[in-house]
Amino acid sequence: MAEFSPTSTTARKTRRWSIKDKRPWMLSSSGPLTEELQCSICLDVFTDPVSTPCGHNFCKTCLNKCWDNSWTCNCPYCKETFKHRPDLKINTTLRELVDHYKKKSPEKKPEVLCDVCKERKLKALKSCLVCQSSYCETHLEPHLRVAGLKKHKLINPVRNLKDYICQKHERPLELFCRDDQTIVCLFCTEGLHKNHNTVSIEEESEEKKTQLIKTQKDTQQMIQDRIKKIQDIKHSAKVRKINTEKEKAARVELFTDLIRSIERCQTELLEMMEEQQKAAEKQEEELIEELKQEITELKMRNTELEQLSHTEDLLHLLQIYSSLYSSRNTRNWSEISVKTDESLETLRRALTQLQDTLQEKLTQTVSTDLKRMQQYEVDVTLDPDMAHPQLILSDDGKQVRHGDISQKLPDNPERFDHCVFVLGKEGFSSGRFYFEVQVKGKTEWTLGVAIEFINRKGQIALSPSNGFWTVWLRNGNEYLACDDPPVSLCLSMKPQRVGVFVDYEEGLVSFYDVESSSHIYSFTGQSFTGKLNPIFSPCFNNKGKNSTPMIITSVKYNKLIYSPNMKYT
């Protein structure tokens, strides 16, 4: 839609020529100027045109209604938002142009001429359905004066008089049959339309006009509602973008701190290894020096012993023997070793310390994420009309367990008949939502979300391609994400309470161990269509080994009470 602004081409033309000039370019009702004089809200020629600060033009009433029904003031054409509601002034130049256009381009209606006039035919004033002729003011006079003609049906002049005559009875079509929604003559009401609800055309027309006015108002309201919806969506998108930027900034700061911690630990580790290496080298040098000294002393002693062993001076031998024999003992070097694994042990300790630091940081990150996600907590209630007949639900719809024996229940199309599943009543088709489920004491369970219109009869394959995003436990310690293909999970701790978070627009389904604030698994990059419902399976009872129920919990209510006297409702 073209706009009119003081800087537009049309505006420059307006200043160049006076509005009062009868230029051809201003008189064409089919030229491009017609569109430039249309309001983009009501799609009609401007009435009291006003201009927004961004330069676009609208009817004053249309724009005020648009802003009255909105939280913010923005341009309906380019969507620019204004901090304060502009003080609207009539665009006098544009109004003069519109008025001149309306005068020069009135709505053309085909003229109906008098059928009686001989030479110069005058414009008809009325048409007679009985005479099937149109009359000017002069020739209409007998119909207003003669008693017989006064009974004729006169209508506003029309050219297609045959369309107002019943082709079967050749009588005026002056009645409307509401049963068959068709126009009929008086004779028709004695035949096919006998005993039908018929009213005069005038009465039906007035009612139809009233309905049209109401429909028009409803349509205008629908337009305004949709304009407001667009504004709400844009506002939500703007808020979402701001929140996302804040979250990104927080994540960047968090991981920056984490990187700094890693770098600091790495520096400390290298310094420790360097110090350890220097200490080891110093110890080795000292040991080598001591060994060399002892070797020198031993060589000297050996020489003396050799000389003494050949002496013939027995008295001298006996005198110095005890001193030589009792000379200082050397170190027992068999007990001395260089511990080459000290650096390795130091490395192990440093790596363990680094791992503990990283784990602490990651736990803090997941804990922060979990707290943020818990803000989107929703109230989930199990739907008894969808539950497998062997499942037993609590009265409040918050607990479910397997009951071994099938109950006599209606076989609804929505009810699972083979797999022991139950869906939550609540479905979500946009935004984010979060809920928590206690699985403490169970050896098997399945939990997640599913598309509302999934297959519920017969064997079911759990996978995103079939509309399921779930995680399960089997045999007490075997965890699996039912992805395409399935992913085995290695969890350091057995989850007692599982949190499920969904971001519909982002295509994200995440599972968390609430107690340890640790991440279990995430389905990312998914594409959802329709509502997503929470899905639960406590699995089979297994002779009492898996009899504990699954319990939908509240984030604020951690101490849950299990009632063994649950019954199906």
Side-chain angles (χ1 to χ4, degrees):
M1 181 67 67
E3 68 267 16
F4 185 95
S5 66
T7 59
S8 66
T9 304
T10 305
R12 290 196 296 271
K13 288 182 179 179
T14 304
R15 290 196 296 271
R16 193 177 303 137
W17 294 298
S18 168
I19 297 296
K20 295 180 181 180
D21 291 343
K22 299 179 180 179
R23 303 287 181 180
W25 65 273
M26 297 177 64
L27 303 180
S28 174
S29 61
S30 59
L33 183 62
T34 306
E35 291 188 358
E36 296 204 16
L37 298 182
Q38 285 181 339
C39 171
S40 60
I41 298 177
C42 66
L43 302 180
D44 204 348
V45 178
F46 289 120
T47 301
D48 293 333
V50 293
S51 301
T52 59
C54 57
H56 296 109
N57 304 295
F58 307 93
C59 297
K60 185 176 182 180
T61 302
C62 294
L63 190 56
N64 280 328
K65 285 183 179 180
C66 182
W67 286 351
D68 289 341
N69 295 327
S70 175
W71 293 341
T72 58
C73 293
N74 56 17
C75 175
Y77 185 80
C78 70
K79 309 307 178 186
E80 180 179 342
T81 302
F82 312 117
K83 293 183 178 179
H84 303 287
R85 182 164 180 166
D87 184 17
L88 300 175
K89 303 293 185 182
I90 301 295
N91 187 329
T92 55
T93 302
L94 183 56
R95 183 174 62 180
E96 291 178 1
L97 183 62
V98 170
D99 292 343
H100 189 78
Y101 173 81
K102 289 180 178 179
K103 290 179 182 179
K104 295 299 180 180
S105 303
E107 184 180 356
K108 295 182 179 180
K109 296 182 180 179
E111 286 188 350
V112 179
L113 301 179
C114 179
D115 292 327
V116 181
C117 293
K118 298 296 183 183
E119 296 179 358
R120 181 174 175 271
K121 290 184 175 293
L122 299 178
K123 182 179 178 180
L125 185 63
K126 291 288 182 180
S127 294
C128 177
L129 294 180
V130 178
C131 302
Q132 296 189 34
S133 299
S134 298
Y135 304 103
C136 63
E137 184 177 5
T138 301
H139 295 115
L140 181 65
E141 189 271 337
H143 280 76
L144 304 177
R145 174 174 50 82
V146 179
L149 295 177
K150 283 184 178 182
K151 297 180 180 180
H152 287 193
K153 182 69 174 181
L154 297 177
I155 61 173
N156 291 328
V158 293
R159 302 178 68 180
N160 53 336
L161 273 172
K162 290 183 178 180
D163 294 342
Y164 290 80
I165 303 299
C166 177
Q167 298 300 314
K168 183 177 181 180
H169 303 109
E170 295 186 353
R171 300 289 296 175
L173 294 170
E174 50 188 341
L175 298 174
F176 184 82
C177 176
R178 288 180 171 174
D179 292 343
D180 296 333
Q181 292 292 301
T182 185
I183 302 172
V184 297
C185 70
L186 187 60
F187 284 7
C188 290
T189 60
E190 299 297 329
L192 293 176
H193 300 274
K194 188 176 183 180
N195 299 325
H196 285 192
N197 181 14
T198 56
V199 294
S200 66
I201 290 179
E202 290 79 9
E203 181 181 347
E204 184 66 20
S205 298
E206 287 301 319
E207 185 170 333
K208 286 289 191 291
K209 286 181 180 179
T210 302
Q211 292 176 358
L212 288 173
I213 293 173
K214 182 180 182 302
T215 303
Q216 182 185 15
K217 290 182 178 178
D218 292 341
T219 304
Q220 290 176 345
Q221 185 61 46
M222 290 172 64
I223 294 172
Q224 298 301 323
D225 291 343
R226 280 150 181 75
I227 292 175
K228 183 178 182 299
K229 188 64 176 179
I230 292 174
Q231 294 169 346
D232 291 344
I233 292 173
K234 290 191 173 183
H235 177 72
S236 299
K238 185 177 180 181
V239 172
R240 183 188 182 90
K241 183 177 180 181
I242 293 173
N243 292 336
T244 301
E245 292 299 325
K246 289 181 179 178
E247 289 181 12
K248 286 170 62 178
R251 287 297 181 88
V252 169
E253 182 179 358
L254 179 62
F255 282 101
T256 300
D257 291 341
L258 185 58
I259 292 172
R260 288 172 181 169
S261 298
I262 295 173
E263 291 175 346
R264 184 172 62 255
C265 291
Q266 182 181 8
T267 301
E268 293 175 356
L269 173 61
L270 295 175
E271 290 177 352
M272 290 173 62
M273 293 177 66
E274 185 68 26
E275 292 175 0
Q276 188 68 32
Q277 178 66 21
K278 289 181 179 180
E281 290 177 355
K282 183 179 180 182
Q283 181 188 15
E284 292 166 358
E285 290 175 358
E286 291 175 350
L287 291 173
I288 291 172
E289 187 63 32
E290 187 176 350
L291 284 168
K292 286 181 178 181
Q293 185 177 350
E294 286 196 8
I295 290 171
T296 301
E297 292 177 356
L298 288 171
K299 284 182 178 180
M300 291 175 60
R301 183 181 178 189
N302 187 58
T303 301
E304 291 178 358
L305 290 172
E306 184 178 359
Q307 292 174 355
L308 186 60
S309 65
H310 294 92
T311 184
E312 294 180 357
D313 189 350
L314 299 178
L315 181 62
H316 178 69
L317 173 63
L318 293 174
Q319 287 176 345
I320 66 172
Y321 176 81
S322 58
S323 62
L324 288 173
Y325 189 82
S326 61
S327 60
R328 72 177 182 87
N329 295 326
T330 59
R331 181 183 294 191
N332 184 2
W333 289 98
S334 63
E335 298 178 355
I336 303 299
S337 63
V338 180
K339 296 181 179 180
T340 58
D341 60 342
E342 287 186 358
S343 297
L344 182 59
E345 184 62 30
T346 302
L347 178 60
R348 288 197 187 99
R349 289 198 300 268
L351 289 175
T352 301
Q353 181 182 359
L354 178 59
Q355 183 178 1
D356 292 342
T357 302
L358 293 176
Q359 185 61 43
E360 181 181 355
K361 290 289 185 181
L362 290 175
T363 300
Q364 291 176 357
T365 303
V366 175
S367 179
T368 301
D369 287 346
L370 195 55
K371 289 180 180 178
R372 175 177 58 83
M373 293 173 186
Q374 286 174 337
Q375 297 177 0
Y376 298 96
E377 181 185 18
V378 294
D379 185 20
V380 176
T381 306
L382 302 174
D383 192 337
D385 293 333
M386 302 183 188
H388 186 277
Q390 292 181 357
L391 294 182
I392 300 177
L393 278 60
S394 61
D395 294 339
D396 60 0
K398 299 295 183 180
Q399 304 184 23
V400 57
R401 65 180 177 87
H402 188 261
D404 286 330
I405 301 174
S406 294
Q407 304 170 89
K408 293 182 180 180
L409 302 171
D411 186 16
N412 304 325
E414 299 84 7
R415 189 182 302 283
F416 292 92
D417 67 350
H418 184 80
C419 297
V420 285
F421 284 117
V422 59
L423 292 180
K425 289 182 179 180
E426 299 77 12
F428 306 90
S429 57
S430 64
R432 304 171 178 176
F433 64 93
Y434 173 89
F435 61 95
E436 291 183 1
V437 180
Q438 178 175 298
V439 292
K440 182 178 180 181
K442 295 195 66 60
T443 59
E444 295 187 352
W445 50 261
T446 300
L447 176 63
V449 294
I451 291 295
E452 182 180 15
F453 299 108
I454 52 172
N455 176 34
R456 307 181 192 188
K457 305 300 181 182
Q459 191 68 33
I460 297 173
L462 299 180
S463 67
S465 58
N466 291 330
F468 297 87
W469 292 265
T470 57
V471 168
W472 77 22
L473 166 66
R474 295 293 185 270
N475 301 321
N477 59 0
E478 298 175 6
Y479 293 91
L480 184 78
C482 302
D483 208 335
D484 289 323
V487 179
S488 296
L489 305 176
C490 182
L491 306 183
S492 58
M493 298 180 63
K494 186 174 183 178
Q496 305 298 308
R497 195 161 78 250
V498 179
V500 183
F501 174 75
V502 177
D503 189 326
Y504 195 98
E505 283 72 23
E506 292 294 330
L508 172 67
V509 181
S510 293
F511 297 82
Y512 292 87
D513 181 345
V514 180
E515 299 290 344
S516 63
S517 296
S518 59
H519 176 249
I520 297 176
Y521 189 78
S522 287
F523 296 86
T524 59
Q526 305 299 306
S527 180
F528 306 127
T529 54
K531 290 184 178 181
L532 286 177
N533 289 61
I535 187 169
F536 311 82
S537 175
C539 296
F540 294 105
N541 192 17
N542 288 340
K543 298 180 179 179
K545 295 179 181 180
N546 191 39
S547 60
T548 305
M550 297 177 72
I551 307 174
I552 301 171
T553 72
S554 171
V555 172
K556 298 180 181 179
Y557 185 47
N558 296 327
K559 294 183 179 180
L560 302 168
I561 300 176
Y562 161 51
S563 173
N565 297 321
M566 292 187 303
K567 63 180 181 179
Y568 190 94
T569 55

